[in-house]
Amino acid sequence: MKILVTGGTGYIGSHTCVELLSAGYEIVVIDNFSNSKRDVVDKIKMITNKDFTFYEGDCCDKDILTKMFDKNDIGAVIHFAGFKAVGESVNEPLKYYRNNLDSTITLLEVMKEHGCKKIVFSSSATVYGKPDSLPIKEDFPLSTTNPYGTTKLMIEDILRDLYKSDNTWSIALLRYFNPIGAHTSGLIGENPNDIPNNLMPYIVKVATGELEILSVFGNDYDTKDGTGVRDYIHVVDLSKGHIKAIEKVLSESGIDAYNLGTGNGYSVLEIVNTFMKVNGVDVKYKIVDRRPGDIDACFADPSYAKEKLNWEATLGIEDMCRDSYNYVKNVKED
Ligand code: WQD
């Protein structure tokens, strides 16, 4: 029995493939390299000293998905594949709705046709919109403020309707907070080619001199130092959460959502200062206007995932800052 990982060469997907292989699972991976590099396949194999089946392809392509299920005994799926840039989704909503929804519906149809009814879905804390209180629990109201977030909420709704139609499905909805960091090997991580939207990749590029200065989007929020507060979680902790979720969906039917966060909120300036301290580098920054759509603060109550998945984050922001920088330094040396 194999686990299919869609988007398995992406940032979170590649780290999850490492954890799956290390835990003894056999995996099949599909990716179209729309937001990842081809050499990640080999790096996953190098880290784990394990082999696996890889298909280059798009999850909107029913033929390749059918071929994968025909040729492999796939018992469960972890579905990462999808576009994920908030800003891009505002400018190009149809691209996001077409890709993220079409790929998911196609995948679910092929799963159903092959009797595979176990899936872990890569959702996001963005489905909570602007929370009325903190920390955020899974039963909080759901709303979204951008097309990317709306595709995540729509897919959650599709999966909830699917389960209502057939309660033999087993579905885990994993709501990520802010994943950062990289595998300690320095072989896989996050290093976008273009100008990063997210905080940590931007900090790293300023630290390496690739970008001149970090713009801190506002210091007039209702937070400890006025800058935005988020629940940053190490991507390795996040990936281990997927192993627990796979164990859950393999063991019982049902559908449930789980917050994958640390439960701790850190401000932009706390992250910048921690990054400079642990890496011994300078990160120049300037305070600018708020970024439209940003919220003051967002952090998880992760107790449900602890209770139901027996999972909790163990790595701290110093690990996240050190590993993020270690990866990019390693990539630059390549
Ligand atoms: C974090 C903080 C910014 C960049 C988004 C998506 C979410 C998930 C993670 C996919 C905020 C501040 C940022 C910069 C800054 N993605 N910031 N200068 O917006 O919390 O979440 O990415 O699932 O769905 O919404 O993450 O890293 O963009 O911002 O000051 O150059 O850093 O204002 O307070 P965000 P982020």
Side-chain angles (χ1 to χ4, degrees):
M1 186 274 289
K2 297 180 181 178
I3 308 293
L4 168 61
V5 183
T6 73
T9 63
Y11 175 43
I12 303 167
S14 57
H15 285 84
T16 301
C17 286
V18 165
E19 297 304 326
L20 284 165
L21 291 166
S22 303
Y25 288 97
E26 278 194 87
I27 67 173
V28 180
V29 178
I30 182 170
D31 206 307
N32 64 4
F33 300 121
S34 64
N35 193 28
S36 60
K37 294 185 176 65
R38 192 177 295 275
D39 66 357
V40 171
V41 176
D42 293 330
K43 293 192 173 174
I44 294 168
K45 293 177 181 177
M46 281 168 63
I47 292 169
T48 59
N49 196 26
K50 298 275 181 76
D51 199 0
F52 61 91
T53 308
F54 177 77
Y55 292 82
E56 181 176 356
D58 192 310
C59 289
C60 294
D61 178 347
K62 188 158 189 173
D63 291 341
I64 193 166
L65 288 178
T66 300
K67 179 182 160 192
M68 285 194 335
F69 275 84
D70 286 345
K71 289 182 175 295
N72 298 275
D73 171 24
I74 295 169
V77 177
I78 304 181
H79 182 36
F80 291 105
F83 296 151
K84 64 158 194 169
V86 170
E88 184 187 42
S89 79
V90 173
N91 298 327
E92 297 188 72
L94 292 181
K95 173 182 173 183
Y96 271 68
Y97 287 117
R98 168 57 67 194
N99 182 70
N100 290 5
L101 299 180
D102 190 354
S103 58
T104 302
I105 293 166
T106 304
L107 171 67
L108 292 170
E109 285 176 336
V110 174
M111 287 176 68
K112 184 168 182 275
E113 288 161 8
H114 289 79
C116 176
K117 298 181 179 181
K118 297 175 180 300
I119 184 168
V120 174
F121 173 59
S122 169
S123 190
S124 167
T126 201
V127 301
Y128 294 114
K130 184 174 172 57
D132 292 332
S133 65
L134 292 170
I136 297 173
K137 293 185 75 65
E138 286 84 353
D139 61 357
F140 271 28
L142 303 181
S143 68
T144 54
T145 59
N146 60 75
Y148 156 75
T150 303
T151 67
K152 291 298 186 182
L153 184 51
M154 289 170 93
I155 293 166
E156 285 201 10
D157 287 340
I158 289 168
L159 289 166
R160 280 187 277 268
D161 284 345
L162 181 58
Y163 179 72
K164 280 180 197 153
S165 75
D166 175 355
N167 65 10
T168 62
W169 279 80
S170 183
I171 302 167
L173 309 170
L174 302 185
R175 294 172 180 164
Y176 310 155
F177 281 71
N178 287 63
I180 61 174
H183 191 266
T184 49
S185 65
L187 290 173
I188 55 176
E190 186 182 32
N191 188 29
N193 299 328
D194 47 7
I195 304 287
N197 298 300
N198 296 132
L199 179 64
M200 183 54 82
Y202 207 109
I203 288 175
V204 169
K205 286 186 184 286
V206 173
T208 60
E210 190 176 331
L211 294 172
E212 186 206 345
I213 187 168
L214 169 73
S215 295
V216 174
F217 298 142
N219 67 346
D220 58 350
Y221 285 107
D222 181 17
T223 61
K224 56 188 92 168
D225 59 20
T227 63
V229 166
R230 297 292 185 274
D231 185 333
Y232 297 96
I233 177 171
H234 199 296
V235 65
V236 171
D237 273 331
L238 188 66
S239 302
K240 292 182 189 290
H242 290 72
I243 307 308
K244 295 292 189 181
I246 272 290
E247 289 169 5
K248 183 84 172 174
V249 301
L250 286 174
S251 65
E252 61 189 62
S253 60
I255 184 169
D256 218 342
Y258 308 94
N259 286 341
L260 296 193
T262 67
N264 303 311
Y266 289 97
S267 74
V268 174
L269 292 182
E270 284 178 316
I271 295 292
V272 171
N273 291 325
T274 302
F275 187 94
M276 289 195 283
K277 183 184 76 173
V278 301
N279 294 309
V281 293
D282 187 38
V283 176
K284 281 204 301 182
Y285 67 85
K286 60 182 177 183
I287 306 296
V288 300
D289 291 339
R290 293 183 176 192
R291 178 172 64 177
D294 274 358
I295 59 179
D296 299 56
C298 174
F299 53 90
D301 175 340
S303 58
Y304 193 65
K306 172 65 179 164
E307 177 196 344
K308 295 293 184 182
L309 300 180
N310 188 28
W311 170 88
E312 62 185 336
T314 61
L315 298 167
I317 57 169
E318 297 202 357
D319 301 304
M320 298 177 216
C321 290
R322 187 179 301 114
D323 293 339
S324 294
Y325 193 47
N326 177 54
Y327 167 67
V328 172
K329 282 191 300 181
N330 194 48
V331 163
K332 282 194 165 310
E333 286 159 14
D334 275 357

